[in-house]
Amino acid sequence: MHVRPRLLIASAVLAVLPAVLTACSGHPDQRAAPARSSSPSPSGSGSPASAAPTAPATPAPVAAPTPTATPAATSSSAPAKAPAAPPAPATRLSLTAAAPGGALHLVRGGPAQEFTVTVRNGNSQAYRHLLVAFQMEPPTGEPGDLPGPAAPFVLERRDPATGAWRAADLRIATDVKPAHLYAGGTALAPDAVRTERYRLRATATGPTGSSPLVVYAIDADAAEGTAADFGRPGRVPVPLTTRRLV
């Protein structure tokens, strides 16, 4: 039988095989290193450091939007807003009368004496028909007085347009005439001021004595039953004395 030659061939092959494997690896005691990729790095560098794995980039913090400052906040030179002024207090009409020496001194049959009346309106009401009215009580009379005419005093108003003196109403009575019974008058706006000139004289005959001349501001538009303070918003007395020549 030819068995021995085959066994010898197989033994020879097994003996040679370790040597062949050692020659292929180059290091019989070490494992072969894994093959390195030959593809270039993203940065184009072939250095080993460039092949190291890169840590994932941390997203940069997003800055909060800066609020837009208003012009008032950014402008240090802007003037400060002044506080609102409080409303003016309500005022009402006032009436004054001025005579030389503060009083009228008449002589029966003598010259007239002048005086002025000033109406100063307040800020709370406008008048459409405001007039100045005059009233006095009859003087008490003195012994020796001669009876006089029905109108022992003559009142006149100076017309500012022409300078002429024109007759004005003078009521001689002991009662008060209601405002709604008056008629006439002119407009007077809020805060308006009006000054008029008057003169008064005593007739040659009539009673003598003292009796104040009362000046009224009358609202001719006042309805019946209106309170006296509103129908007659102004009142001022002017001292008056009347005497005879002898």
Side-chain angles (χ1 to χ4, degrees):
M1 296 180 67
H2 298 282
V3 176
R4 184 174 300 274
R6 291 180 181 179
L7 293 174
L8 292 174
I9 293 172
S11 299
V13 171
L14 290 176
V16 175
L17 183 60
V20 173
L21 292 177
T22 301
C24 292
S25 62
H27 298 280
D29 298 330
Q30 297 180 1
R31 296 181 60 185
R36 181 177 299 175
S37 174
S38 62
S39 59
S41 65
S43 61
S45 173
S47 63
S50 63
T54 303
T58 303
V62 178
T66 303
T68 303
T70 61
T74 58
S75 177
S76 59
S77 61
K81 186 177 180 181
T91 56
R92 295 188 59 188
L93 179 145
S94 64
L95 180 68
T96 58
L104 296 174
H105 302 284
L106 302 181
V107 176
R108 285 289 169 192
Q113 289 194 357
E114 290 190 30
F115 63 98
T116 59
V117 175
T118 300
V119 182
R120 186 182 301 274
N121 197 8
N123 61 12
S124 57
Q125 181 177 351
Y127 293 92
R128 296 184 303 159
H129 299 93
L130 187 79
L131 59 89
V132 176
F134 300 87
Q135 180 172 326
M136 63 179 293
E137 295 184 1
T140 57
E142 298 176 353
D145 289 346
L146 298 175
F153 298 92
V154 177
L155 179 65
E156 295 175 309
R157 171 183 172 271
R158 186 178 185 274
D159 186 344
T162 63
W165 290 94
R166 305 186 184 281
D169 293 333
L170 172 61
R171 186 170 187 263
I172 300 177
T174 58
D175 62 341
V176 177
K177 183 178 180 179
H180 72 275
L181 296 179
Y182 284 90
T186 56
L188 189 66
D191 294 323
V193 179
R194 186 170 69 207
T195 299
E196 297 180 326
R197 292 172 58 185
Y198 293 88
R199 69 183 184 182
L200 182 67
R201 67 181 177 88
T203 59
T205 59
T208 58
S210 299
S211 181
L213 174 68
V214 182
V215 186
Y216 292 99
I218 302 292
D219 182 5
D221 293 325
E224 184 176 0
T226 300
D229 288 347
F230 291 93
R232 295 189 299 274
R235 178 185 182 277
V236 58
V238 181
L240 169 63
T241 60
T242 307
R243 64 183 179 84
R244 296 192 307 268
L245 283 174
V246 293

